[in-house]
């Protein structure tokens, strides 16, 4: 089946006859109007839900094909790196009906919802308050995260402040594994190229290796340290999608 | 490579949807297991497309304005803006903030077990259903051309992903000749940004006596022997290379295999399309651009 639209997923999840292959007791969270709550990315929509123990979890439903997904998530589930969330890919998990008339089983990525604030939001808030101390803390925490990341045999592939969560215990963790490089993908082309403001100018699908996090890591670290010195840089150079302007 | 710039809030893109609401759209068809006028089916698909644009722009911090949206209806009552009273573009955040009327749509679904159920889904009615009078497509094309010309002239859009214009119709223009249609279409095709020309996609819906259906043809030889099919082919844009995999995915497996290696280019058009094909084509139009 062609990848469904977000509307197709919503239409399927809202329906009492929604069919899951393995999941049970999925209570999708809704807003005050009764509409399904979700947020979208470039390739998927993420729906929050409560399981039977009232724990908050998420379903990631894809609107674009990604041939590496099963390989990547099998690796993540097996290796369980400390700086990644506990997630799993459930193959052909949800039966989706499309407005175009098609219907079929779609893979979903499912896992525990990572509570916290994105590094982007935390840095923006600290910069707005001119809180240099907090920005220094975030810069230091990010550098620590990078040291752990560089020691791993894999690369995240879409390193950006929105994909880093500052947990309530102040630990930083990465989210969104879709663009990961793992050793099993050596020699293959990337399915995703990261996010332009943080992507190396010469990064291509063919240049897919353990090194793809180097450039964004340097950029984000420099940006955070720069903000820690001069928080007003954020307001001066805010282009919506950058931590600070790309130099 | 053209049509490759990412879509951002600083460099948004634009969508213009043109919808034929002439009298011929009263014709009954079967959609999602239910018989209904073509106008109702098109309205459902178009409203779903607008919803999809809003949904794709939703992030943790709210709905982001990654694109400008305009919808034009054309019928015996003239050419009208359907989602923005002033006739300009609107935005996802503005649409998301407005509480629009909703309608329930009952349709048949077959579950994996084979059991048939009647599913009821709710749909935002950004545009209402209408089918009346003649087909002032030339007037609508001029309006679309004016909108994209204005949009492309803005300095903020100079490096944006180019606009996409989608025309949904089941017939020919009644307010101008084929040459007039070509002339105005060329006007649309001449607009664009540094990332490429405006994409002009034409989707012709089948009528009852319809023959062979064609979607995203790669050459005029694939068209039925019909002068209107050729006109639509001529005025529709060549789809950028980045669309090739998506386009291949909507053809049948058999046709997709026969196409290997992929043709050099596809035209953004469909002739004698059914409503399911309309939904698939519009989904492609919204999905391909890389949105931050």
């Amino acid at each position: 089946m062609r990848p469904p639209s977000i509307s197709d997923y919503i239409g399927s999840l809202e329906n009492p006859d929604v069919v899951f292959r393995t999941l049970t007791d999925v209570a999708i969270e809704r807003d005050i109007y009764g509409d399904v709550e979700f947020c979208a990315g470039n390739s998927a929509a993420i729906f929050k839900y409560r399981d039977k123990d009232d724990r908050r979890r998420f379903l990631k439903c894809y609107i674009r094909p990604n041939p590496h997904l099963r390989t990547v998530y099998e690796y993540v589930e097996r290796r369980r790196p400390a700086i990644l969330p506990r997630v799993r890919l459930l193959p052909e998990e949800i039966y989706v009906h499309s407005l175009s008339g098609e219907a079929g089983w779609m893979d979903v990525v499912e896992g525990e919802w990572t509570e916290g604030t994105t590094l982007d939001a935390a840095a923006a808030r600290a910069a707005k308050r001119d809180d240099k101390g907090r920005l220094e803390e975030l810069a230091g925490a990010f550098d620590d995260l990078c040291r752990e990341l560089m020691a791993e045999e894999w690369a995240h592939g879409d390193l950006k402040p929105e994909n880093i969560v500052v947990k309530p215990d102040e630990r930083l963790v990465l989210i969104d594994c879709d663009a990961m490089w793992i050793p099993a993908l050596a020699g293959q082309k990337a399915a995703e190229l990261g996010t332009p403001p943080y992507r190396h100018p010469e990064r291509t699908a063919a240049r897919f290796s353990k090194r793809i996090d180097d450039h964004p890591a340097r950029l984000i670290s420099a940006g955070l340290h720069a903000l820690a010195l001069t928080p007003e840089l954020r307001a001066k150079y805010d282009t919506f999608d950058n931590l600070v302007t790309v130099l | 490579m053209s049509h490759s710039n990412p879509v951002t809030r600083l460099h948004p893109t634009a969508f213009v949807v043109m919808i034929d609401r002439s009298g011929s759209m009263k014709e009954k068809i079967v959609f999602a297991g239910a018989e209904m006028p073509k106008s109702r089916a098109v309205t459902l698909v178009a409203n779903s497309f607008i919803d999809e644009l809003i949904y794709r722009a939703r992030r943790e911090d709210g709905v982001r304005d990654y694109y400008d949206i305009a919808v034009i209806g054309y019928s015996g009552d003239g050419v009208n803006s359907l989602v923005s009273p002033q006739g300009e573009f609107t935005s996802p955040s503005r649409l998301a903030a407005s509480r629009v009327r909703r309608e329930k749509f009952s349709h048949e679904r077959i579950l994996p077990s084979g059991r048939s159920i009647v599913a009821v889904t709710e749909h935002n009615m950004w545009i209402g259903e209408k089918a009346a009078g003649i087909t002032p497509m030339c007037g609508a094309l001029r309006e679309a051309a004016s909108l994209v010309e204005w949009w492309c002239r803005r300095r903020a859009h100079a490096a944006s992903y180019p606009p996409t214009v989608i025309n949904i119709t089941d017939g020919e223009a009644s307010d101008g000749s084929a040459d007039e249609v070509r002339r105005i279409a060329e006007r649309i095709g001449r607009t664009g940004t540094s990332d490429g020309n405006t994409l002009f996609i034409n989707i012709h819906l089948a009528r009852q006596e319809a023959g062979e259906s064609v979607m995203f043809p790669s050459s005029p030889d694939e068209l039925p022997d019909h002068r209107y099919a050729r006109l639509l082919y001529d005025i529709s844009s060549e789809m950028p290379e980045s669309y090739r995999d998506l386009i291949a995915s909507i053809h049948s497996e058999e046709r997709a295999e026969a196409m290997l290696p992929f043709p050099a280019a596809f035209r953004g058009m469909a002739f004698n399309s059914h409503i399911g094909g309309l939904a698939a084509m519009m989904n492609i139009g919204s999905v391909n651009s890389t949105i931050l």
Side-chain angles (χ1 to χ4, degrees):
Chain A
M1 180 181 171
R2 285 188 288 276
S5 65
I6 297 176
S7 306
D8 292 334
Y9 280 114
I10 291 173
S12 297
L13 285 167
E14 278 185 332
N15 204 283
D17 290 297
V18 61
V19 181
F20 291 105
R21 196 182 287 281
T22 65
L23 292 174
T24 58
D25 301 310
V26 173
I28 298 287
E29 290 196 353
R30 294 173 181 264
D31 63 19
I32 57 170
Y33 301 105
D35 295 333
V36 163
E37 276 206 336
F38 69 95
C39 61
N42 194 46
S43 58
I46 297 171
F47 301 88
K48 294 180 203 172
Y49 79 96
R50 297 271 178 184
D51 65 11
K52 59 180 171 52
D53 299 318
D54 203 36
R55 287 177 306 204
R56 187 177 252 178
R57 301 184 70 83
F58 73 90
L59 291 175
K60 189 168 186 180
C61 301
Y62 291 85
I63 57 174
R64 285 176 182 259
N66 182 334
H68 299 324
L69 274 185
R70 289 188 178 188
T71 305
V72 163
Y73 281 96
E74 185 274 332
Y75 176 91
V76 170
E77 197 179 349
R78 183 165 40 86
R79 292 288 296 252
R80 294 186 160 226
I83 53 173
L84 287 179
R86 295 286 172 263
V87 292
R88 54 182 177 160
L89 185 145
L90 299 174
E92 298 185 341
E93 176 63 26
I94 182 173
Y95 198 74
V96 183
H97 291 85
S98 159
L99 195 61
S100 65
E102 285 188 289
W105 292 100
M106 300 303 297
D107 294 353
V108 301
V109 167
E110 191 273 345
E112 203 175 280
W113 181 258
T114 305
E115 299 291 350
T117 309
T118 65
L119 181 60
D120 186 62
R125 188 181 310 145
K128 196 172 178 182
R129 293 175 181 169
D130 202 36
D131 190 343
K132 293 183 182 180
R134 179 60 175 152
L135 286 161
E136 270 178 38
E137 282 172 3
L138 291 172
F142 178 75
D143 290 345
D144 289 341
L145 175 72
C146 284
R147 275 187 275 277
E148 289 189 68
L149 178 58
M150 296 304 152
E152 294 281 358
E153 64 171 18
W154 48 269
H156 181 270
D158 191 11
L159 200 60
K160 60 181 177 180
E162 281 186 339
N163 278 344
I164 300 165
V165 174
V166 184
K167 295 185 75 170
D169 63 5
E170 291 297 304
R171 259 197 334 122
L172 265 57
V173 292
L174 299 168
I175 57 172
D176 189 354
C177 308
D178 295 353
M180 274 179 69
W181 180 89
I182 59 174
L185 295 178
Q188 296 191 38
K189 285 190 177 178
E192 296 195 7
L193 294 179
T195 303
Y198 301 96
R199 183 170 73 211
H200 192 286
E202 292 179 22
R203 182 174 164 184
T204 63
R207 301 179 86 157
F208 188 38
S209 74
K210 166 85 173 82
R211 306 300 305 273
I212 52 179
D213 288 339
D214 293 2
H215 177 79
R218 280 195 283 266
L219 208 59
I220 296 167
S221 180
L224 285 168
H225 284 285
L227 284 178
L229 288 171
T230 316
E232 54 265 33
L233 283 175
R234 173 85 184 191
K236 190 174 180 183
Y237 293 107
D238 185 15
T239 59
F240 298 123
D241 302 305
N242 293 355
L243 188 62
V244 183
T245 189
V246 176
L247 301 171
Chain B
M1 186 169 74
S2 71
H3 298 83
S4 60
N5 283 1
V7 176
T8 70
R9 284 172 284 179
L10 201 58
H11 299 293
T13 186
F15 290 95
V16 177
V17 181
M18 300 164 53
I19 302 174
D20 180 344
R21 305 167 104 204
S22 62
S24 60
M25 296 289 275
K26 284 181 193 164
E27 184 185 32
K28 291 276 176 65
I29 57 163
V30 174
F31 176 53
E35 190 183 61
M36 65 181 73
K38 220 182 301 181
S39 54
R40 175 155 170 74
V42 167
T43 301
L44 276 165
V45 173
N47 281 323
S48 181
F49 177 76
I50 297 168
D51 272 343
E52 192 66 15
L53 291 180
I54 298 169
Y55 295 158
R56 293 204 68 221
R58 184 184 294 191
R59 299 292 185 270
E60 279 280 354
D61 57 357
V63 176
R64 297 180 178 178
D65 290 333
Y66 288 121
Y67 19 72
D68 296 311
I69 303 166
V71 183
I72 300 166
Y74 53 101
S75 69
D77 297 334
V79 177
N80 308 104
S81 170
L82 298 182
V83 294
S84 174
Q86 286 75 36
E88 302 162 341
F89 285 97
T90 186
S91 66
S93 64
R94 215 175 299 160
L95 289 172
S98 58
R99 296 305 297 173
V100 66
R101 185 174 66 85
R102 308 186 84 170
E103 255 187 35
K104 288 186 168 49
F105 173 50
S106 298
H107 48 107
E108 186 188 28
R109 282 184 178 173
I110 310 294
L111 298 180
S113 62
R115 184 165 71 96
S116 170
I117 60 163
V118 174
V120 179
T121 49
E122 273 207 349
H123 295 261
N124 291 317
M125 299 302 288
W126 303 107
I127 59 177
E129 184 186 340
K130 182 174 185 162
I134 59 166
T135 312
M137 194 190 301
C138 287
L141 285 170
R142 282 189 209 100
E143 179 64 18
S146 293
L147 280 168
V148 292
E149 281 167 350
W150 173 86
W151 192 91
C152 290
R153 274 199 301 269
R154 291 173 67 83
R155 199 183 306 176
H157 303 150
S160 287
Y161 188 97
T164 302
V165 177
I166 303 173
N167 179 27
I168 306 166
T169 179
D170 76 338
E172 304 185 38
S174 49
D175 62 341
S177 64
D179 284 343
E180 180 70 4
V181 170
R182 278 180 212 276
R183 204 175 52 75
I184 310 168
E186 277 167 19
R187 211 177 125 193
I188 293 173
R190 279 197 295 271
T191 64
T193 68
S194 64
D195 191 33
N197 288 351
T198 296
L199 288 179
F200 188 24
I201 299 172
N202 287 277
I203 306 169
H204 171 264
L205 299 172
R207 297 226 183 161
Q208 249 175 3
E209 71 281 6
E212 186 189 340
S213 146
V214 175
M215 289 174 73
F216 289 118
S218 53
S219 89
D221 298 336
E222 295 179 35
L223 302 174
D225 185 18
H226 195 295
R227 62 173 179 73
Y228 191 54
R230 183 58 203 248
L231 172 63
L232 291 180
Y233 182 91
D234 289 343
I235 66 172
S236 300
S237 297
E238 214 170 80
M239 300 302 287
E241 188 182 327
S242 53
Y243 283 80
R244 285 167 71 194
D245 288 348
L246 281 168
I247 290 171
S249 76
I250 73 167
H251 289 287
S252 67
E253 274 186 17
E254 187 185 305
R255 182 179 156 83
E257 278 174 20
M259 281 159 55
L260 293 174
F262 285 164
F266 298 95
R267 284 294 168 113
M269 68 154 287
F271 187 74
N272 280 344
S273 173
H274 53 82
I275 297 293
L278 166 66
M281 284 187 76
M282 294 189 79
N283 195 30
I284 283 178
S286 76
V287 163
N288 194 59
S289 42
T290 301
I291 296 176
L292 284 192

